[in-house]
C-alpha cells in the first residue's frame, strides 16, 4: 500500500477525531496568547489563560485517549481487522502507516499548543513554566499516542483502552514531574557556616536544605533538637557546623527540557516496539483462509487456478449414486 493510500485511509477513518483534536490545539494556543496579553494589562492570570494552561497540560493525554487507544482496539472489538488486515497490507504495515501519520500530526499540534504559557509571555525560562515548551509538548503528545496504541492492542476494548490510557498517562506524567525531573542531573550544593545563609542564585529550584557537619556532609536534626528551633539547637549543641542547600540552577532549564523530551521519546519508541512485536508474533491477528475465501455461492464457479479451493476440478465425478437412484425410479 502506497503512502498516499495510507494517508487517505487514515484521514477517512479518523477525520472527525483529527479535526476535533486540531481545533482543541489551535483554540488552546490562541487562548494562551490571549491570556498573556490580558495578564500584561491586569497583572494576574485570567480564567482564559488558566483553562488554556489546563488544556496544554492535558493535550498529550487527549491524543492518547482519542487517537491512540481506539486505533487498534476498535478494529479488534468490532472484528473489522479481518477486512483491514486481509487485503494487500499486513497488520504491521497497516499500523506503521497510521502511527507515522498520526504521530507526525500529534507532534505538530503538540508543538503548536506548547508555544505559549498563558501567563508571563516572558522569554526567560522559569521552573514554574517548565512544561510550556513546544518540543516537550510534542514529545508528550507522541508518548500519549504510543501508550494508547499499546494499551488498545492489549485490551481489545475501546472504552477499557481509553480509561487505562488516561490513568497510565497521568501516572507517568506525575511520577516524572515529582520524582524524575529534579534528578536528571546532579544538583548543585551551596554550604556556609552559621554566619550566613547558603547562596542560591535567582530562579533556581531548591530541592532540599539542612545542616552539615565539619566535613560538609549533611546531618539530620537530632532527637534532642526536634522539640525546639532546629537552627539554634543544632548550633548550640555542636551537632552541626553550618547549613547547606541543594538546588538546580535556572540556566539548566533548557537542558532539562531536552533531557525529558529524550526520555519520553525513548519511552514512546519502547512502547511502539512492544506493540509491533506483539502484532508481528501473534498469529491470532491474521485472518484465516476461511475468512478471506469467498464461498462458491456468492462468487460463482470456482477458479481452477485458485490454490485456496480445496476441490480439484480434474477429479472424476462419482455418478454411481445418481444412476442408482434413476434406475430405482424407472423400476
Amino acid at each position: 500500500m502506497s503512502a498516499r493510500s495510507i494517508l487517505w485511509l487514515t484521514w477517512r477513518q479518523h477525520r472527525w477525531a483529527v479535526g476535533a483534536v486540531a481545533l482543541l490545539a489551535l483554540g488552546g494556543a490562541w487562548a494562551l496568547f490571549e491570556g498573556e496579553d490580558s495578564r500584561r494589562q491586569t497583572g494576574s492570570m485570567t480564567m482564559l489563560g488558566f483553562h488554556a494552561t489546563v488544556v496544554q497540560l492535558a493535550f498529550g493525554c487527549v491524543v492518547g485517549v482519542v487517537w491512540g487507544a481506539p486505533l487498534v482496539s476498535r478494529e479488534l472489538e468490532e472484528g473489522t481487522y479481518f477486512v483491514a488486515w486481509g487485503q494487500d497490507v499486513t497488520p504491521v504495515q497497516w499500523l506503521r502507516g497510521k502511527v507515522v501519520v498520526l504521530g507526525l500530526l500529534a507532534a505538530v499540534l503538540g508543538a503548536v499548543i506548547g508555544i505559549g504559557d498563558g501567563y508571563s509571555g516572558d522569554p526567560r525560562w522559569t521552573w514554574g513554566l517548565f512544561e510550556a515548551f513546544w518540543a516537550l509538548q510534542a514529545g508528550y503528545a507522541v508518548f500519549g499516542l504510543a501508550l494508547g496504541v499499546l494499551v488498545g492492542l492489549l485490551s481489545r476494548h475501546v472504552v477499557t483502552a481509553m480509561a487505562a490510557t488516561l490513568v497510565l498517562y497521568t501516572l507517568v506524567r506525575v511520577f516524572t514531574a515529582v520524582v524524575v525531573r529534579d534528578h536528571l542531573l546532579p544538583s548543585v550544593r551551596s554550604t556556609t557556616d552559621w554566619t550566613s545563609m547558603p547562596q542560591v542564585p535567582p530562579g533556581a529550584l531548591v530541592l532540599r536544605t539542612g545542616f552539615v557537619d565539619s566535613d560538609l556532609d549533611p546531618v539530620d536534626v537530632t532527637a534532642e533538637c526536634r522539640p525546639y528551633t532546629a537552627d539554634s539547637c543544632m548550633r548550640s549543641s555542636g551537632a552541626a557546623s553550618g547549613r547547606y542547600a541543594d538546588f538546580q540552577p535556572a540556566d539548566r532549564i533548557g537542558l532539562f527540557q531536552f533531557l525529558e523530551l529524550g526520555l519520553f521519546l525513548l519511552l514512546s519508541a519502547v512502547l511502539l516496539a512492544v506493540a509491533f512485536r506483539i502484532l508481528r508474533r501473534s498469529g491470532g491477528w491474521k485472518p484465516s483462509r476461511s475468512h478471506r475465501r469467498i464461498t462458491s455461492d456468492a462468487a460463482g464457479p470456482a477458479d481452477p487456478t485458485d490454490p485456496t479451493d480445496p476441490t480439484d476440478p480434474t477429479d472424476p465425478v462419482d455418478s454411481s449414486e445418481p444412476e442408482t437412484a434413476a434406475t430405482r425410479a424407472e423400476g
Side-chain angles (χ1 to χ4, degrees):
M1 183 176 288
S2 63
R4 176 179 294 184
S5 300
I6 289 291
L7 182 62
W8 179 88
L9 177 63
T10 305
W11 168 252
R12 181 71 177 175
Q13 291 184 328
H14 307 283
R15 59 187 182 276
W16 294 111
V18 169
V21 174
L23 287 176
L24 179 66
L26 296 176
W30 170 83
L32 287 170
F33 285 115
E34 286 293 320
E36 293 173 5
D37 293 337
S38 301
R39 188 260 177 184
R40 296 188 185 99
Q41 300 174 4
T42 62
S44 60
M45 175 177 280
T46 62
M47 290 301 296
L48 181 63
F50 172 76
H51 291 139
T53 303
V54 173
V55 172
Q56 183 186 68
L57 293 174
F59 183 75
C61 185
V62 172
V63 171
V65 171
V66 178
W67 289 3
L71 187 63
V72 181
S73 61
R74 178 175 289 114
E75 301 287 344
L76 298 176
E77 183 179 9
E78 298 179 356
T80 54
Y81 69 96
F82 281 123
V83 178
W85 302 344
Q87 306 299 322
D88 58 344
V89 59
T90 65
V92 173
Q93 292 173 339
W94 179 90
L95 182 59
R96 182 191 301 123
K98 291 203 169 188
V99 166
V100 169
V101 174
L102 293 178
L104 290 175
L105 285 174
V108 171
L109 294 177
V112 168
I113 203 171
I115 57 179
D117 57 55
Y119 178 69
S120 67
D122 196 330
R124 294 177 300 175
W125 291 336
T126 61
W127 288 102
L129 302 174
F130 181 87
E131 296 179 349
F133 181 51
W134 64 270
L136 199 53
Q137 288 296 324
Y140 291 155
V142 173
F143 169 74
L145 178 67
L147 179 63
V149 169
L150 179 59
V151 172
L153 180 62
L154 295 176
S155 66
R156 307 191 191 186
H157 190 270
V158 175
V159 177
T160 303
M162 296 173 73
T165 301
L166 173 63
V167 173
L168 292 176
Y169 180 90
T170 304
L171 291 177
V172 171
R173 285 287 304 274
V174 171
F175 180 80
T176 302
V178 174
V179 179
V180 178
R181 180 181 300 162
D182 298 342
H183 306 285
L184 290 174
L185 289 178
S187 59
V188 178
R189 173 167 294 175
S190 174
T191 58
T192 183
D193 55 18
W194 296 112
T195 60
S196 61
M197 298 297 294
Q199 298 298 316
V200 178
L205 177 65
V206 179
L207 302 180
R208 67 188 66 86
T209 59
F211 304 99
V212 292
D213 56 18
S214 57
D215 296 328
L216 301 182
D217 295 325
V219 294
D220 297 329
V221 178
T222 60
E224 294 79 6
C225 293
R226 289 175 184 172
Y228 309 101
T229 303
D231 193 84
S232 59
C233 181
M234 293 288 288
R235 179 179 181 179
S236 60
S237 64
S241 299
R243 308 178 184 91
Y244 81 94
D246 290 342
F247 61 90
Q248 297 288 1
D251 56 8
R252 288 185 176 182
I253 294 178
L255 178 59
F256 271 55
Q257 288 172 330
F258 280 104
L259 288 175
E260 187 164 323
L261 170 63
L263 174 62
F264 274 89
L265 291 180
L266 178 61
L267 290 175
S268 303
V270 171
L271 293 174
L272 290 177
V274 173
F276 280 110
R277 184 177 180 85
I278 293 175
L279 198 63
R280 185 180 294 110
R281 290 181 172 270
S282 298
W285 312 125
K286 300 178 182 179
S288 61
R289 288 186 175 183
S290 61
H291 289 90
R292 288 184 291 181
R293 185 172 61 243
I294 303 176
T295 60
S296 58
D297 293 339
D303 186 359
T305 62
D306 185 6
T308 63
D309 190 358
T311 62
D312 187 356
T314 61
D315 291 343
V317 178
D318 185 8
S319 58
S320 59
E321 184 65 23
E323 291 180 357
T324 304
T327 304
R328 293 177 179 176
E330 291 177 359

